[in-house]
Amino acid sequence: MSRWEFMRQLEELLSDISPSEREEALQYYNDYFNDAGKENEQEVIKALGSPEQVAAIVKEGLSENCSRGEFTENGFTEGNASVQNAIIKRNTEGQNEETKKEYSQIAQKQTEEKKNSMPAWAIVLIVIGCVFLSPVILGLVCAVLGILIGIVASILGVVFGIGLAMIILYIVAIALVIGGFGSILAHPIAGVGLIGGGCICAALGILLMLLEVLLVGKCIPGIFEGIGYIFKKLFGKKGV
């Protein structure tokens, strides 16, 4: 049963009392629901009982002297004698442990939310600080990006330079070997020297080729992974 259904049935059951008394009674129970909160409507209905029980208690309180009766926070009071709604009293004064625990948890949750929520003045200070520090932050970001771009450009320059040197050494080695074999008959010593120089240049070219493979296959991927890790720590996964 919903709050609306409960109040509709109660209004029908109280149709035989005066309009002012009915309005006062309905207002009292509506206020009761409002104080408990929308999330606790079912607990309130369970504590109040059925609309028939509530209507019987209201009529019992009004049966002797309607002119002196009124509704208070403790139920219906008539003169010096109080005819209190026993169901409401049980809900407000003698709630069972389970209901108390639920209300305590709700109150504790609301308190924790208030503690964890950031006050408005702190948000305003943060916004103002970001506005004033934005040039500094932007400068730092640009500096970091410049350093990273410089590192990447330097690495690419080194790789390109090593590759170019390797190609030049291979060309020189081929030229020396060809020249050595061409002059070995006329000038044996010079021919052997040219062939030896060509072999040395070829060996240096092989060393540079191995270094190039190491840079391209191991070092460069590791450097880019490190840069990606830095961005991940600074900006999170979305930033990466």
Side-chain angles (χ1 to χ4, degrees), residues 24-239:
E24 189 177 1
L26 294 175
Q27 184 62 43
Y28 169 73
Y29 287 104
N30 269 318
D31 292 341
Y32 191 88
F33 275 106
N34 292 334
D35 292 339
K38 186 177 180 180
E39 66 276 4
N40 299 316
E41 285 183 3
Q42 294 303 316
E43 287 80 359
V44 171
I45 294 172
K46 182 179 178 181
L48 290 175
S50 65
E52 290 81 5
Q53 290 175 299
V54 176
I57 291 172
V58 172
K59 293 177 181 179
E60 182 183 355
L62 296 171
S63 60
E64 295 182 1
N65 191 342
C66 297
S67 62
R68 292 184 298 153
E70 64 176 354
F71 284 91
T72 68
E73 60 181 2
N74 294 322
F76 181 84
T77 302
E78 185 179 17
N80 294 327
S82 176
V83 183
Q84 188 175 5
N85 186 333
I87 299 174
I88 297 178
K89 184 177 180 180
R90 183 180 71 240
N91 182 55
T92 56
E93 296 181 0
Q95 290 179 320
N96 55 54
E97 293 299 326
E98 183 178 356
T99 305
K100 288 182 178 180
K101 185 177 180 180
E102 291 177 356
Y103 288 155
S104 177
Q105 289 176 348
I106 292 173
Q108 184 178 1
K109 184 178 180 181
Q110 292 176 347
T111 303
E112 290 178 354
E113 289 178 353
K114 290 181 179 179
K115 289 181 179 179
N116 294 330
S117 62
M118 185 176 294
W121 61 267
I123 297 175
V124 172
L125 288 178
I126 291 174
V127 173
I128 294 174
C130 291
V131 171
F132 281 102
L133 294 177
S134 56
V136 178
I137 296 174
L138 183 61
L140 291 175
V141 172
C142 292
V144 172
L145 290 176
I147 293 172
L148 294 177
I149 293 173
I151 292 172
V152 173
S154 300
I155 294 171
L156 294 177
V158 170
V159 171
F160 179 78
I162 292 175
L164 182 62
M166 176 187 68
I167 294 172
I168 293 173
L169 285 173
Y170 281 140
I171 294 173
V172 172
I174 293 172
L176 290 175
V177 170
I178 292 174
F181 279 110
S183 62
I184 194 170
L185 295 176
H187 305 283
I189 297 176
V192 172
L194 292 174
I195 295 172
C199 292
I200 293 172
C201 290
L204 292 175
I206 293 173
L207 290 176
L208 292 179
M209 182 180 67
L210 295 176
L211 180 60
E212 185 86 354
V213 172
L214 179 63
L215 288 174
V216 174
K218 298 293 183 180
C219 295
I220 293 178
I223 292 171
F224 279 103
E225 287 179 3
I227 294 173
Y229 178 79
I230 293 173
F231 273 95
K232 183 178 179 181
K233 288 297 183 181
L234 291 177
F235 306 106
K237 294 182 179 180
K238 292 183 179 180

